[in-house]
Amino acid sequence: MTSTAKPVPTIAIEGLTGCAGELLVILENMEKLIPFVRIKRFSFAQSDNQSGPVDISFVEGSVSQPHDLEKLIKIRANSRWLVAVGNCAVWGCVQKAACARCSVNEMLGAVYGADSEIAVMPATPLHDHVKVDVELSGCPINPTQFLAVAASVLKDHLPYITHKPVCLECKLNENPCVLIEKNLPCLGPVTAAGCGALCPSAGAACYGCWGPCESPQMDAMATILSEKGYSMDDVLMRLKSFGAPTHLFERLDPLLAKN
Ligand code: SF4
Ligand code: SF4
């Protein structure tokens, strides 16, 4: 009699250039996944790693060095599903924002000296280079969202990931609004939900670490913060610090001209 049991899905957890925050979140929650998968590669956490194709690759980090790009292209070729995890992988995060302010070679020289031979490139998110099937942002990712995404992809379903603004979660938590009541520069209106409005729930302003929400009104956000007395330089630095794409700021030009 032939067995009809489906093979156990294989996964890989891979890191490019990043702080490894996503890898830690995945590691902390791995016991919930282990009954349903076989981990073929997770070099951050295990020494017995195998090459070859997998059903799902979860990839953290941005493409910031040529070997990141080579690794990413191999990962894509070996994965049925490629899931970008964390702000670095989805938006490019703080390193992408830094690369927009000065050249990577200037930064390299300042940190490692002018004669450094380390190969670097401007930091970019994964979707600039390969097809990405699912993007799960966060800095770091939310464990509940990660497990929900993993459960969907394991069943070959595209997961639902909210891109509503943080304000929605903030209101569900019945928080007082720190933007209105304390004049803090809260970016909740233009930032994607997923963290449970962590910062406003503690009385602090959201600084946008989840990346932009759907259809973020950057110009309206900048106008509000400018009217509250924040300088346009500070506002733009804050709005761009987690790698939001430049096209979201196109409508800001007239505002910039005024400042
Ligand atoms: S505190 Fe921030 S996230 Fe909460 S409602 Fe106000 S602007 Fe939105
Ligand atoms: S409230 Fe904003 S800055 Fe704080 S964790 Fe959530 S997305 Fe990040």
Side-chain angles (χ1 to χ4, degrees):
M1 197 169 114
T2 47
S3 167
T4 55
K6 282 180 75 176
V8 177
T10 50
I11 67 168
I13 297 107
E14 312 269 13
L16 305 178
T17 296
C19 72
E22 274 57 65
L23 304 182
L24 277 172
V25 172
I26 293 172
L27 179 59
E28 281 172 358
N29 290 277
M30 193 44 86
E31 64 180 347
K32 300 183 187 103
L33 267 187
I34 279 175
F36 309 104
V37 299
R38 183 161 72 82
I39 305 166
K40 257 181 122 169
R41 287 185 292 284
F42 192 3
S43 52
F44 180 78
Q46 65 182 30
S47 47
D48 182 16
N49 295 295
Q50 297 153 29
S51 57
V54 290
D55 291 298
I56 312 166
S57 284
F58 297 96
V59 185
E60 183 217 66
S62 62
V63 175
S64 300
Q65 302 177 76
H67 69 75
D68 286 335
L69 185 53
E70 285 165 29
K71 183 173 176 180
L72 177 63
I73 289 167
K74 274 191 203 150
I75 292 170
R76 176 68 274 182
N78 275 311
S79 312
R80 219 154 51 74
W81 288 85
L82 194 159
V83 183
V85 285
N87 188 308
C88 291
V90 175
W91 296 112
C93 205
V94 290
Q95 59 268 43
K96 181 180 158 206
C99 291
R101 289 201 280 272
C102 65
S103 81
V104 283
N105 286 329
E106 277 176 291
M107 286 189 277
L108 191 65
V111 176
Y112 294 103
D115 53 357
S116 167
E117 292 182 357
I118 300 172
V120 288
M121 53 200 279
T124 42
L126 308 193
H127 64 224
D128 278 9
H129 306 280
V130 296
K131 175 176 175 276
V132 176
D133 301 302
V134 180
E135 296 190 312
L136 178 65
S137 193
C139 191
I141 50 170
N142 175 302
T144 307
Q145 267 194 327
F146 167 71
L147 289 169
V149 164
S152 285
V153 179
L154 281 170
K155 292 188 168 188
D156 278 335
H157 292 159
L158 266 180
Y160 170 75
I161 300 171
T162 182
H163 296 287
K164 301 280 184 235
V166 171
C167 291
L168 182 72
E169 293 179 325
C170 192
K171 292 297 102 189
L172 289 172
N173 291 352
E174 300 187 2
N175 295 329
C177 178
V178 298
L179 178 66
I180 293 171
E181 297 194 10
K182 295 188 187 171
N183 284 331
L184 293 180
C186 189
L187 301 189
V190 293
T191 302
C195 67
L198 214 51
C199 301
S201 299
C206 169
Y207 49 86
C209 80
W210 234 255
C213 63
E214 63 187 26
S215 308
Q217 303 299 306
M218 296 298 189
D219 50 340
M221 187 81 246
T223 303
I224 289 168
L225 295 181
S226 164
E227 285 170 1
K228 286 185 178 292
Y230 293 96
S231 78
M232 192 50 77
D233 278 353
D234 288 347
V235 169
L236 284 178
M237 176 119 30
R238 193 169 176 85
L239 284 170
K240 293 179 177 180
S241 61
F242 281 86
T246 47
H247 74 265
L248 296 178
F249 298 92
E250 279 163 3
R251 289 202 295 168
L252 276 167
D253 284 347
L255 279 169
L256 279 172
K258 272 202 284 176
N259 283 273

